[in-house]
Amino acid sequence: MGYMWLNFSTWEVIKKKDMIEIINPNKWRTNLVGEDPRIFYHNGKEYIVYNHHLSRFKKLFYAELFYNKPEDMFYTIDPPNHVAFENEVNIRHQKNWIPFDFCPSCNFQRGLTVLNSNATLLFIYSIRPHRIVQAFATNVSGEMRAETIFLTELLPEFRWRWGEMRGGSPALLMGDFYLSFFHSSGHLSHKHIGTYVMGAYTFERNPPFAITRMSAEPIFHESFINETYGWAYKGVDFIVFPMGFTFDDDFIYVSYGKNDRDGWILKLNRSGLMESLKPVQSKILGVSDWEDSNITRHSFRQLV
């Protein structure tokens, strides 16, 4: 995996590197290998979340990023954190979890906690149902276990017609709610041709983190379906895959992958996006005794 620096005003590439290194306590170094990397901030520090094959299936990992200024490179410390979902079985990939910082008393800047905050790192395991999990350390170094702490579900009145909604960007706090961009795959041009689209949604800033607004239609731009650009794959015409975003007072800037080839920046009118999201209602499916983020385990119960 590599990375690049962009000019925030023009989004031009300032410089790029072809690799992120893993440094072992024994001083050997190797490249960090994985797919779908996303940068997120936790307590003002940079982290990377990604997936990587373990045997047949992809598993979720995350690690803190450090910057070596003399060598002008990012690196992580071995081993990265492998997060296994509760009751996980090897029948599906584990990827596209959405990280976010929760801290009622912290200061946020551009949706991110500042350095030395006391935020709790949470992940959204799935959007429908909206399953919030927290990762806990185990007795094995680098191995963590994610447990459900809140579970809510959109009422059936809301329908998204473009396949299962899956994670995309890390969620950022925007006032009294969090915002995240998701992706899904459905059929636009033909029932036998797949298309990847993206949407946005907001959820409450406090537990149980229920979804409050959703995109009613995919967020689209004519450049997404430019035939001269070529198809992504045989049987898949176009792919739009949101990876991260930032914002200012007027605009939201979304980084996304296009057809698994290029990285692009989408500039959205902030008020226009918010107005496009449809208010939705949710019901609570499960809660825990989650009050103090320092508790090492929680008692979760499903509601009937």
Short mmCIF file of all heavy atoms in Angstrom, two decimals, residues 212-253:
data_model
loop_
_atom_site.label_atom_id
_atom_site.label_comp_id
_atom_site.label_asym_id
_atom_site.label_seq_id
_atom_site.Cartn_x
_atom_site.Cartn_y
_atom_site.Cartn_z
N THR A 212 -30.32 8.59 11.06
CA THR A 212 -31.33 9.67 11.04
C THR A 212 -31.71 10.11 9.63
O THR A 212 -32.84 10.51 9.40
CB THR A 212 -30.83 10.88 11.83
OG1 THR A 212 -29.55 11.30 11.33
CG2 THR A 212 -30.70 10.54 13.31
N ARG A 213 -30.76 10.06 8.68
CA ARG A 213 -31.03 10.47 7.31
C ARG A 213 -30.24 9.61 6.34
O ARG A 213 -29.13 9.18 6.64
CB ARG A 213 -30.68 11.95 7.10
CG ARG A 213 -31.65 12.93 7.77
CD ARG A 213 -31.21 14.37 7.61
NE ARG A 213 -30.05 14.66 8.44
CZ ARG A 213 -29.41 15.83 8.47
NH1 ARG A 213 -29.81 16.81 7.67
NH2 ARG A 213 -28.38 16.02 9.27
N MET A 214 -30.84 9.37 5.17
CA MET A 214 -30.22 8.52 4.16
C MET A 214 -30.36 9.14 2.78
O MET A 214 -31.32 9.86 2.51
CB MET A 214 -30.90 7.14 4.12
CG MET A 214 -30.78 6.30 5.36
SD MET A 214 -29.14 5.56 5.60
CE MET A 214 -28.86 4.74 4.05
N SER A 215 -29.42 8.82 1.90
CA SER A 215 -29.60 9.15 0.48
C SER A 215 -30.77 8.36 -0.07
O SER A 215 -30.86 7.14 0.13
CB SER A 215 -28.34 8.80 -0.33
OG SER A 215 -27.28 9.69 -0.06
N ALA A 216 -31.68 9.05 -0.75
CA ALA A 216 -32.79 8.35 -1.39
C ALA A 216 -32.39 7.78 -2.74
O ALA A 216 -32.98 6.82 -3.22
CB ALA A 216 -33.98 9.30 -1.55
N GLU A 217 -31.38 8.40 -3.37
CA GLU A 217 -30.86 7.96 -4.66
C GLU A 217 -29.34 7.97 -4.58
O GLU A 217 -28.75 8.66 -3.74
CB GLU A 217 -31.32 8.91 -5.79
CG GLU A 217 -32.82 9.08 -5.91
CD GLU A 217 -33.47 7.90 -6.59
OE1 GLU A 217 -32.75 7.15 -7.29
OE2 GLU A 217 -34.69 7.73 -6.44
N PRO A 218 -28.66 7.23 -5.47
CA PRO A 218 -27.19 7.29 -5.49
C PRO A 218 -26.71 8.70 -5.78
O PRO A 218 -27.35 9.47 -6.51
CB PRO A 218 -26.82 6.33 -6.63
CG PRO A 218 -27.98 5.40 -6.75
CD PRO A 218 -29.19 6.22 -6.42
N ILE A 219 -25.57 9.05 -5.19
CA ILE A 219 -24.91 10.31 -5.51
C ILE A 219 -24.15 10.10 -6.81
O ILE A 219 -23.25 9.25 -6.88
CB ILE A 219 -23.96 10.72 -4.36
CG1 ILE A 219 -24.76 10.94 -3.08
CG2 ILE A 219 -23.17 11.97 -4.73
CD1 ILE A 219 -23.89 11.17 -1.85
N PHE A 220 -24.52 10.87 -7.80
CA PHE A 220 -24.03 10.60 -9.14
C PHE A 220 -23.50 11.85 -9.80
O PHE A 220 -23.93 12.96 -9.53
CB PHE A 220 -25.16 10.01 -10.01
CG PHE A 220 -24.84 8.66 -10.56
CD1 PHE A 220 -24.91 7.54 -9.75
CD2 PHE A 220 -24.45 8.49 -11.87
CE1 PHE A 220 -24.61 6.28 -10.25
CE2 PHE A 220 -24.15 7.25 -12.38
CZ PHE A 220 -24.23 6.14 -11.56
N HIS A 221 -22.53 11.66 -10.68
CA HIS A 221 -22.05 12.71 -11.57
C HIS A 221 -21.86 12.09 -12.94
O HIS A 221 -21.56 10.89 -13.06
CB HIS A 221 -20.72 13.29 -11.06
CG HIS A 221 -20.23 14.48 -11.84
ND1 HIS A 221 -19.42 14.37 -12.94
CD2 HIS A 221 -20.48 15.80 -11.67
CE1 HIS A 221 -19.17 15.57 -13.41
NE2 HIS A 221 -19.79 16.46 -12.67
N GLU A 222 -22.05 12.89 -13.96
CA GLU A 222 -22.00 12.33 -15.32
C GLU A 222 -20.65 11.68 -15.62
O GLU A 222 -20.57 10.76 -16.45
CB GLU A 222 -22.28 13.44 -16.34
CG GLU A 222 -21.31 14.60 -16.30
CD GLU A 222 -21.69 15.71 -17.27
OE1 GLU A 222 -22.78 15.64 -17.85
OE2 GLU A 222 -20.87 16.62 -17.44
N SER A 223 -19.58 12.13 -14.95
CA SER A 223 -18.27 11.53 -15.21
C SER A 223 -18.19 10.10 -14.71
O SER A 223 -17.31 9.34 -15.11
CB SER A 223 -17.16 12.38 -14.56
OG SER A 223 -17.30 12.36 -13.14
N PHE A 224 -19.10 9.72 -13.78
CA PHE A 224 -19.08 8.35 -13.26
C PHE A 224 -19.36 7.33 -14.36
O PHE A 224 -18.91 6.19 -14.30
CB PHE A 224 -20.13 8.18 -12.16
CG PHE A 224 -19.83 8.91 -10.88
CD1 PHE A 224 -20.70 8.86 -9.82
CD2 PHE A 224 -18.67 9.65 -10.74
CE1 PHE A 224 -20.44 9.53 -8.63
CE2 PHE A 224 -18.39 10.33 -9.56
CZ PHE A 224 -19.28 10.27 -8.51
N ILE A 225 -20.17 7.71 -15.33
CA ILE A 225 -20.60 6.76 -16.35
C ILE A 225 -20.15 7.22 -17.74
O ILE A 225 -20.88 7.12 -18.71
CB ILE A 225 -22.13 6.55 -16.33
CG1 ILE A 225 -22.87 7.90 -16.38
CG2 ILE A 225 -22.55 5.78 -15.09
CD1 ILE A 225 -24.37 7.74 -16.50
N ASN A 226 -18.93 7.70 -17.82
CA ASN A 226 -18.34 8.13 -19.08
C ASN A 226 -17.87 6.90 -19.84
O ASN A 226 -16.91 6.24 -19.46
CB ASN A 226 -17.18 9.08 -18.80
CG ASN A 226 -16.59 9.65 -20.08
OD1 ASN A 226 -16.93 9.22 -21.18
ND2 ASN A 226 -15.72 10.62 -19.93
N GLU A 227 -18.53 6.58 -20.93
CA GLU A 227 -18.21 5.37 -21.70
C GLU A 227 -16.78 5.41 -22.27
O GLU A 227 -16.15 4.37 -22.45
CB GLU A 227 -19.21 5.19 -22.85
CG GLU A 227 -20.61 4.75 -22.39
CD GLU A 227 -20.67 3.26 -22.07
OE1 GLU A 227 -19.64 2.59 -22.18
OE2 GLU A 227 -21.75 2.79 -21.68
N THR A 228 -16.27 6.60 -22.55
CA THR A 228 -14.93 6.69 -23.11
C THR A 228 -13.86 6.26 -22.10
O THR A 228 -12.74 5.95 -22.47
CB THR A 228 -14.64 8.12 -23.59
OG1 THR A 228 -14.72 9.02 -22.47
CG2 THR A 228 -15.64 8.55 -24.63
N TYR A 229 -14.24 6.26 -20.83
CA TYR A 229 -13.30 5.85 -19.79
C TYR A 229 -13.12 4.34 -19.77
O TYR A 229 -12.11 3.83 -19.29
CB TYR A 229 -13.81 6.36 -18.44
CG TYR A 229 -12.84 6.20 -17.30
CD1 TYR A 229 -11.74 7.06 -17.17
CD2 TYR A 229 -12.98 5.19 -16.35
CE1 TYR A 229 -10.84 6.93 -16.12
CE2 TYR A 229 -12.09 5.04 -15.30
CZ TYR A 229 -11.03 5.93 -15.20
OH TYR A 229 -10.14 5.79 -14.17
N GLY A 230 -14.10 3.62 -20.31
CA GLY A 230 -14.03 2.18 -20.35
C GLY A 230 -14.70 1.52 -19.16
O GLY A 230 -14.87 2.12 -18.10
N TRP A 231 -15.09 0.27 -19.35
CA TRP A 231 -15.73 -0.49 -18.27
C TRP A 231 -14.69 -0.91 -17.23
O TRP A 231 -13.50 -1.04 -17.52
CB TRP A 231 -16.41 -1.72 -18.84
CG TRP A 231 -17.76 -1.42 -19.45
CD1 TRP A 231 -18.18 -0.23 -19.99
CD2 TRP A 231 -18.85 -2.33 -19.58
NE1 TRP A 231 -19.47 -0.35 -20.44
CE2 TRP A 231 -19.91 -1.63 -20.20
CE3 TRP A 231 -19.04 -3.66 -19.24
CZ2 TRP A 231 -21.13 -2.22 -20.49
CZ3 TRP A 231 -20.26 -4.25 -19.51
CH2 TRP A 231 -21.30 -3.53 -20.13
N ALA A 232 -15.19 -1.18 -16.03
CA ALA A 232 -14.30 -1.63 -14.97
C ALA A 232 -13.85 -3.07 -15.21
O ALA A 232 -12.66 -3.37 -15.22
CB ALA A 232 -15.00 -1.51 -13.62
N TYR A 233 -14.81 -3.95 -15.41
CA TYR A 233 -14.54 -5.37 -15.64
C TYR A 233 -15.62 -5.92 -16.57
O TYR A 233 -16.65 -5.28 -16.80
CB TYR A 233 -14.57 -6.17 -14.32
CG TYR A 233 -13.60 -5.72 -13.28
CD1 TYR A 233 -14.01 -4.90 -12.22
CD2 TYR A 233 -12.26 -6.09 -13.34
CE1 TYR A 233 -13.12 -4.47 -11.24
CE2 TYR A 233 -11.36 -5.68 -12.37
CZ TYR A 233 -11.80 -4.86 -11.33
OH TYR A 233 -10.90 -4.45 -10.38
N LYS A 234 -15.39 -7.12 -17.05
CA LYS A 234 -16.43 -7.80 -17.79
C LYS A 234 -17.59 -8.09 -16.85
O LYS A 234 -17.43 -8.74 -15.82
CB LYS A 234 -15.88 -9.11 -18.37
CG LYS A 234 -16.90 -9.87 -19.22
CD LYS A 234 -16.30 -11.16 -19.77
CE LYS A 234 -17.32 -11.93 -20.61
NZ LYS A 234 -16.73 -13.20 -21.14
N GLY A 235 -18.75 -7.57 -17.15
CA GLY A 235 -19.92 -7.76 -16.30
C GLY A 235 -20.11 -6.67 -15.27
O GLY A 235 -21.12 -6.66 -14.56
N VAL A 236 -19.16 -5.73 -15.16
CA VAL A 236 -19.28 -4.58 -14.25
C VAL A 236 -18.90 -3.34 -15.04
O VAL A 236 -17.75 -3.20 -15.47
CB VAL A 236 -18.36 -4.71 -13.02
CG1 VAL A 236 -18.51 -3.48 -12.12
CG2 VAL A 236 -18.66 -5.97 -12.25
N ASP A 237 -19.88 -2.45 -15.24
CA ASP A 237 -19.57 -1.30 -16.08
C ASP A 237 -18.82 -0.21 -15.32
O ASP A 237 -17.72 0.18 -15.71
CB ASP A 237 -20.84 -0.74 -16.74
CG ASP A 237 -21.99 -0.51 -15.77
OD1 ASP A 237 -21.78 -0.60 -14.55
OD2 ASP A 237 -23.12 -0.24 -16.25
N PHE A 238 -19.39 0.28 -14.20
CA PHE A 238 -18.75 1.39 -13.51
C PHE A 238 -18.68 1.12 -12.01
O PHE A 238 -19.59 0.53 -11.43
CB PHE A 238 -19.50 2.70 -13.79
CG PHE A 238 -19.70 2.95 -15.25
CD1 PHE A 238 -20.97 2.86 -15.81
CD2 PHE A 238 -18.64 3.24 -16.08
CE1 PHE A 238 -21.16 3.06 -17.16
CE2 PHE A 238 -18.82 3.44 -17.43
CZ PHE A 238 -20.08 3.36 -17.98
N ILE A 239 -17.59 1.59 -11.41
CA ILE A 239 -17.38 1.43 -9.98
C ILE A 239 -17.08 2.79 -9.37
O ILE A 239 -16.18 3.50 -9.81
CB ILE A 239 -16.21 0.47 -9.68
CG1 ILE A 239 -16.54 -0.95 -10.16
CG2 ILE A 239 -15.89 0.45 -8.18
CD1 ILE A 239 -15.38 -1.92 -9.99
N VAL A 240 -17.83 3.15 -8.34
CA VAL A 240 -17.56 4.33 -7.53
C VAL A 240 -17.45 3.85 -6.09
O VAL A 240 -18.39 3.26 -5.56
CB VAL A 240 -18.68 5.39 -7.66
CG1 VAL A 240 -18.36 6.59 -6.80
CG2 VAL A 240 -18.82 5.83 -9.11
N PHE A 241 -16.29 4.10 -5.46
CA PHE A 241 -16.03 3.52 -4.15
C PHE A 241 -15.51 4.61 -3.22
O PHE A 241 -14.35 5.00 -3.30
CB PHE A 241 -15.01 2.40 -4.28
CG PHE A 241 -14.92 1.49 -3.08
CD1 PHE A 241 -15.63 0.32 -3.03
CD2 PHE A 241 -14.14 1.85 -1.99
CE1 PHE A 241 -15.56 -0.52 -1.92
CE2 PHE A 241 -14.06 1.03 -0.87
CZ PHE A 241 -14.77 -0.16 -0.84
N PRO A 242 -16.35 5.16 -2.31
CA PRO A 242 -15.89 6.24 -1.42
C PRO A 242 -14.90 5.73 -0.38
O PRO A 242 -15.07 4.67 0.20
CB PRO A 242 -17.19 6.71 -0.76
CG PRO A 242 -18.09 5.51 -0.79
CD PRO A 242 -17.76 4.78 -2.06
N MET A 243 -13.85 6.53 -0.16
CA MET A 243 -12.78 6.12 0.76
C MET A 243 -12.65 7.04 1.97
O MET A 243 -12.32 6.59 3.05
CB MET A 243 -11.44 6.10 0.00
CG MET A 243 -11.43 5.15 -1.18
SD MET A 243 -11.66 3.43 -0.71
CE MET A 243 -10.16 3.11 0.19
N GLY A 244 -12.90 8.31 1.81
CA GLY A 244 -12.76 9.26 2.91
C GLY A 244 -13.29 10.61 2.50
O GLY A 244 -13.60 10.84 1.32
N PHE A 245 -13.41 11.51 3.46
CA PHE A 245 -13.86 12.86 3.11
C PHE A 245 -13.40 13.85 4.15
O PHE A 245 -13.01 13.49 5.28
CB PHE A 245 -15.38 12.91 2.94
CG PHE A 245 -16.18 12.89 4.22
CD1 PHE A 245 -16.65 14.07 4.80
CD2 PHE A 245 -16.46 11.69 4.86
CE1 PHE A 245 -17.39 14.05 5.97
CE2 PHE A 245 -17.20 11.66 6.04
CZ PHE A 245 -17.66 12.85 6.60
N THR A 246 -13.42 15.10 3.78
CA THR A 246 -13.19 16.21 4.69
C THR A 246 -14.17 17.30 4.31
O THR A 246 -14.90 17.17 3.31
CB THR A 246 -11.73 16.70 4.65
OG1 THR A 246 -11.53 17.69 5.66
CG2 THR A 246 -11.39 17.30 3.29
N PHE A 247 -14.22 18.39 5.06
CA PHE A 247 -15.22 19.41 4.77
C PHE A 247 -14.77 20.76 5.31
O PHE A 247 -13.88 20.86 6.17
CB PHE A 247 -16.58 19.03 5.37
CG PHE A 247 -16.58 18.88 6.87
CD1 PHE A 247 -16.85 19.96 7.71
CD2 PHE A 247 -16.33 17.64 7.46
CE1 PHE A 247 -16.84 19.82 9.08
CE2 PHE A 247 -16.33 17.49 8.85
CZ PHE A 247 -16.58 18.59 9.66
N ASP A 248 -15.38 21.81 4.78
CA ASP A 248 -15.26 23.15 5.33
C ASP A 248 -16.67 23.69 5.52
O ASP A 248 -17.64 22.92 5.52
CB ASP A 248 -14.37 24.06 4.45
CG ASP A 248 -14.85 24.15 3.00
OD1 ASP A 248 -16.08 24.02 2.76
OD2 ASP A 248 -14.01 24.37 2.11
N ASP A 249 -16.81 24.99 5.65
CA ASP A 249 -18.13 25.56 5.92
C ASP A 249 -19.10 25.39 4.76
O ASP A 249 -20.32 25.33 4.96
CB ASP A 249 -18.01 27.05 6.24
CG ASP A 249 -17.31 27.29 7.57
OD1 ASP A 249 -17.29 26.35 8.40
OD2 ASP A 249 -16.79 28.41 7.79
N ASP A 250 -18.58 25.31 3.53
CA ASP A 250 -19.45 25.32 2.35
C ASP A 250 -19.47 24.01 1.57
O ASP A 250 -20.46 23.71 0.89
CB ASP A 250 -19.04 26.46 1.41
CG ASP A 250 -19.12 27.83 2.07
OD1 ASP A 250 -20.16 28.10 2.70
OD2 ASP A 250 -18.16 28.60 1.95
N PHE A 251 -18.38 23.25 1.62
CA PHE A 251 -18.28 22.09 0.74
C PHE A 251 -17.80 20.85 1.49
O PHE A 251 -17.17 20.94 2.55
CB PHE A 251 -17.31 22.39 -0.42
CG PHE A 251 -17.75 23.50 -1.31
CD1 PHE A 251 -17.19 24.77 -1.17
CD2 PHE A 251 -18.73 23.31 -2.27
CE1 PHE A 251 -17.60 25.82 -2.00
CE2 PHE A 251 -19.15 24.34 -3.10
CZ PHE A 251 -18.58 25.61 -2.96
N ILE A 252 -18.12 19.71 0.89
CA ILE A 252 -17.63 18.41 1.34
C ILE A 252 -16.81 17.81 0.21
O ILE A 252 -17.24 17.81 -0.94
CB ILE A 252 -18.79 17.47 1.72
CG1 ILE A 252 -19.54 18.04 2.94
CG2 ILE A 252 -18.29 16.06 2.02
CD1 ILE A 252 -20.80 17.27 3.29
N TYR A 253 -15.62 17.33 0.54
CA TYR A 253 -14.70 16.79 -0.47
C TYR A 253 -14.53 15.30 -0.22
O TYR A 253 -13.99 14.89 0.81
CB TYR A 253 -13.36 17.50 -0.40
CG TYR A 253 -13.46 19.01 -0.46
CD1 TYR A 253 -13.61 19.76 0.71
CD2 TYR A 253 -13.41 19.69 -1.68
CE1 TYR A 253 -13.71 21.15 0.67
CE2 TYR A 253 -13.51 21.08 -1.73
CZ TYR A 253 -13.66 21.80 -0.55
OH TYR A 253 -13.76 23.17 -0.60
#
